[in-house]
Amino acid sequence: MTILKKPGKIVFLIFAIAIFIRIAIFLQDFSYLDRIFLPDDTYYTLSISRNIAGGFFPSADGVTLTSGFQPLIAFVIAPFFLLEFSNDQAALASIALSGIFGAFACGLFAKLIFTSVNSSLLAFFGGVIVATSPLIIRNDMNGLETSLSMFLCLCAILLYIEYIKTPTIHNAGILGVIIGFMILARVDSAILAAFIGLMIVVRLNVRQVIMVSLIAALVVAPWWGYCIFHFGSPIPESGAAVRQLIEASGGDRMPMEMASDLAASILLDGIHISNISYKEPLIILSVLLSILIIFSRNDRTLDGLLLLILCGIAVSLFYILYLPAFWFFPRYLHISIFAMIASVITAFWFVAQSFDKHGEAIFWGLGLLIILFNINKGVIFFSRPDGSLYNGVAGAKGYREIAIDILSSIPSHSVIGAQQSGALGYYAGENIRVVNLDGVVDSGAYKAIKKRELSKFIIASNIDYIVGWDINVRHMKMHSINSGGNLDLVEVKRFKKQGLDQFILYLVKQQNNPIATMTSH
């Protein structure tokens, strides 16, 4: 195939394949897209973008300031509201945008593979594998920052390679700006920024990394200034809130073997072998083999591949050891999935070369097998899940229709509290206020949970109704043991199930009782 001999055409072909698949999925009814792809967090970001477009400071409810979001995607989405898109139109636009960034990331991944290994065949198969991967498509279509972050990470790696070749002020400026935007896209991208800085020191000198770092810092400075001034930390408050929720629910005591097994299953699902035993040793062996091959070749062109693999390892370890919010693993480990695919196909490629003329045939077989598995599993994206709602690998979806149903079930001018308050707040309108109760976008709830006084916060917020899954309500009771008061929750209505989960609406009745409990019936 002549096209496989031209790197630029390979990148374009991979982008074309990826965008075609994502457009085909996108053209389905919004209710299906919501059920399959959109987590509740998407609606937090949309609400914040809407408030930014309206001239307010970042806020999910239009009242409480927050830093509990990734800023770049929120500002990128904001113009949709300036164009007076409806709520559904803006949500659809965010899905389309994330799909486009995902397709670009697939093309850049192929470019990185070619730049590193100088193999058109490996670049083609690597690109097609990520373009058709159901796990990557699921993240690319979630309307969040996941694909934007991956796109910028790959841009930064490729620009690093160019900078090492030509360390001019111009190239340092471009690299610094992209690294700054990369951190604004996802704060954990700072891990990749640190590895890039280290590699610049190794390949060039400290002066060069200082120059790049200062430019990146200038890009990030306004956001960090806002966070530090209002919240005392440059890290989004959602990170601390999730960490606190994990600790409060005992999740921080999850055995490391369980957390690592969950992460390993997700990473290996990228090559469809997640059901095997000894997942972690296989991953470690594959990664070590790739790194060993890279170091044995002593070739600077492999720096980019090394950066991706090292970042994938570090991100995985960070979430396994420090922030084991396993329900977020599929999208938190997005860059690790790319790194795992790169590691496996690169290691297999170099090993296959030792088989002389049969090596290429062996690699064709492996590549086609993975792609066929991708296509087979990707059929689910066209399954049009019915009203029972879809509960996939990344957890329950279908928050939009549940939120609309809940909001239509309560009186106008009510105040409703929820741990999962994203879609509720987004569709609430002006006559109903939604209060976040897990602290992800509300520092008041975060502080109340920290003191185990959530009931007191609920009373102070004049909340009339609470809604959530059964586990949400149990956690709220757990977070209220020091409140010094009693809340009686009267069940009002149950809504359609989201897989195994179900939202339940409760009326809040405050009682003058000195015992700190929250009861429901």
Side-chain angles (χ1 to χ4, degrees):
M1 295 175 68
T2 306
I3 193 170
L4 294 186
K5 299 183 183 298
K6 298 181 179 180
K9 290 186 176 181
I10 291 175
V11 172
F12 178 78
L13 178 61
I14 298 304
F15 170 77
I17 292 170
I19 200 69
F20 175 80
I21 293 170
R22 284 150 183 78
I23 289 173
I25 294 171
F26 176 77
L27 291 177
Q28 298 180 97
D29 189 88
F30 181 35
S31 62
Y32 302 136
L33 300 179
D34 175 59
R35 292 170 189 171
I36 296 175
F37 296 110
L38 300 191
D40 198 45
D41 288 1
T42 300
Y43 294 104
Y44 283 128
T45 301
L46 285 165
S47 295
I48 292 165
S49 295
R50 183 173 60 192
N51 283 317
I52 291 171
F56 301 103
F57 276 103
S59 171
D61 60 4
V63 177
T64 308
L65 283 180
T66 184
S67 65
F69 65 105
Q70 305 298 339
L72 186 58
I73 190 66
F75 282 96
V76 169
I77 291 172
F80 298 143
F81 295 100
L82 292 174
L83 295 171
E84 299 185 351
F85 281 26
S86 68
N87 288 335
D88 282 356
Q89 288 172 336
L92 277 167
S94 71
I95 297 172
L97 194 64
S98 65
I100 291 168
F101 281 123
F104 277 123
C106 293
L108 289 184
F109 180 76
K111 181 175 176 60
L112 174 62
I113 296 296
F114 181 84
T115 302
S116 300
V117 185
N118 195 29
S119 166
S120 298
L121 181 63
L122 183 60
F124 173 75
F125 271 117
V128 175
I129 287 169
V130 296
T132 59
S133 167
L135 198 57
I136 290 172
I137 291 171
R138 192 187 304 277
N139 286 333
D140 283 352
M141 303 293 285
N142 65 13
L144 284 167
E145 77 289 336
T146 318
S147 59
L148 171 60
S149 173
M150 191 68 230
F151 167 70
L152 289 170
C153 285
L154 290 168
C155 283
I157 292 172
L158 290 166
L159 286 169
Y160 156 81
I161 295 171
E162 186 63 29
Y163 181 57
I164 293 302
K165 293 177 184 175
T166 315
T168 63
I169 294 176
H170 176 263
N171 286 342
I174 295 174
L175 178 59
V177 168
I178 292 298
I179 289 175
F181 281 126
M182 180 182 78
I183 295 171
L184 291 175
R186 267 199 74 82
V187 67
D188 56 13
S189 297
I191 294 172
L192 176 58
F195 278 119
I196 290 175
L198 180 62
M199 290 295 287
I200 291 175
V201 171
V202 171
R203 296 302 190 192
L204 297 174
N205 53 58
V206 175
R207 185 175 63 83
Q208 300 288 348
V209 80
I210 290 174
M211 183 164 51
V212 173
S213 300
L214 286 174
I215 295 168
L218 286 174
V219 174
V220 178
W223 170 247
W224 279 358
Y226 164 80
C227 290
I228 292 170
F229 181 78
H230 290 286
F231 304 96
S233 170
I235 307 299
E237 62 179 341
S238 53
V242 171
R243 173 67 185 172
Q244 178 172 266
L245 291 171
I246 293 169
E247 292 173 346
S249 61
D252 59 324
R253 296 187 292 277
M254 175 192 291
M256 190 176 74
E257 304 94 292
M258 185 183 297
S260 63
D261 187 68
L262 286 167
S265 295
I266 291 165
L267 297 181
L268 290 177
D269 195 43
I271 51 174
H272 306 291
I273 52 174
S274 59
N275 293 324
I276 66 168
S277 302
Y278 307 108
K279 299 180 183 69
E280 293 89 339
L282 179 62
I283 290 174
I284 292 170
L285 180 63
S286 173
V287 168
L288 287 179
L289 180 59
S290 297
I291 292 175
L292 182 63
I293 291 170
I294 289 170
F295 278 112
S296 68
R297 294 174 70 89
N298 192 29
D299 187 346
R300 288 192 179 192
T301 60
L302 291 168
D303 279 1
L305 194 59
L306 180 62
L307 279 169
L308 178 61
I309 293 172
L310 290 177
C311 182
I313 294 169
V315 168
S316 297
L317 290 175
F318 173 78
Y319 286 113
I320 290 169
L321 299 176
Y322 177 74
L323 201 65
F326 58 87
W327 55 95
F328 291 141
F329 274 10
R331 76 170 191 262
Y332 281 8
L333 300 182
H334 192 60
I335 192 169
S336 301
I337 296 167
F338 272 82
M340 186 68 212
I341 292 172
S343 176
V344 169
I345 64 172
T346 303
F348 196 87
W349 169 259
F350 283 117
V351 171
Q353 298 308 296
S354 63
F355 291 93
D356 299 324
K357 63 180 180 180
H358 300 295
E360 188 170 304
I362 293 171
F363 189 80
W364 268 91
L366 173 70
L368 287 173
L369 188 63
I370 294 176
I371 292 165
L372 287 173
F373 273 119
N374 281 350
I375 294 170
N376 181 58
K377 291 187 71 173
V379 172
I380 194 172
F381 297 139
F382 300 94
S383 63
R384 295 174 177 257
D386 61 19
S388 63
L389 304 184
Y390 176 75
N391 190 22
V393 66
K397 304 290 191 298
Y399 287 98
R400 169 185 170 270
E401 57 190 301
I402 294 293
I404 292 172
D405 197 3
I406 291 169
L407 293 166
S408 67
S409 302
I410 60 176
S412 182
H413 303 291
S414 297
V415 180
I416 184 169
Q419 285 196 325
Q420 300 183 87
S421 60
L424 284 166
Y426 186 61
Y427 286 101
E430 297 180 357
N431 294 326
I432 294 176
R433 186 185 171 208
V434 179
V435 179
N436 173 251
L437 294 181
D438 64 5
V440 172
V441 291
D442 192 312
S443 58
Y446 169 79
K447 293 172 184 175
I449 293 171
K450 192 178 186 70
K451 297 177 181 178
R452 301 294 188 269
E453 295 179 349
L454 187 58
S455 288
K456 189 180 291 185
F457 176 77
I458 290 170
I459 294 168
S461 300
N462 298 311
I463 290 174
D464 304 303
Y465 295 90
I466 283 176
V467 68
W469 298 339
D470 183 62
I471 191 172
N472 298 144
V473 176
R474 290 203 307 272
H475 283 169
M476 282 187 253
K477 292 176 183 178
M478 189 189 312
H479 302 330
S480 301
I481 58 175
N482 296 332
S483 291
N486 186 52
L487 288 181
D488 188 24
L489 303 183
V490 180
E491 183 176 321
V492 176
K493 184 177 179 180
R494 290 174 178 254
F495 300 89
K496 286 192 298 186
K497 286 190 174 181
Q498 293 171 288
L500 300 176
D501 301 303
Q502 184 177 28
F503 270 95
I504 305 172
L505 179 66
Y506 297 92
L507 176 67
V508 177
K509 289 188 176 181
Q510 181 180 347
Q511 299 178 1
N512 293 320
N513 189 321
I515 301 174
T517 59
M518 182 185 287
T519 60
S520 57
H521 54 82

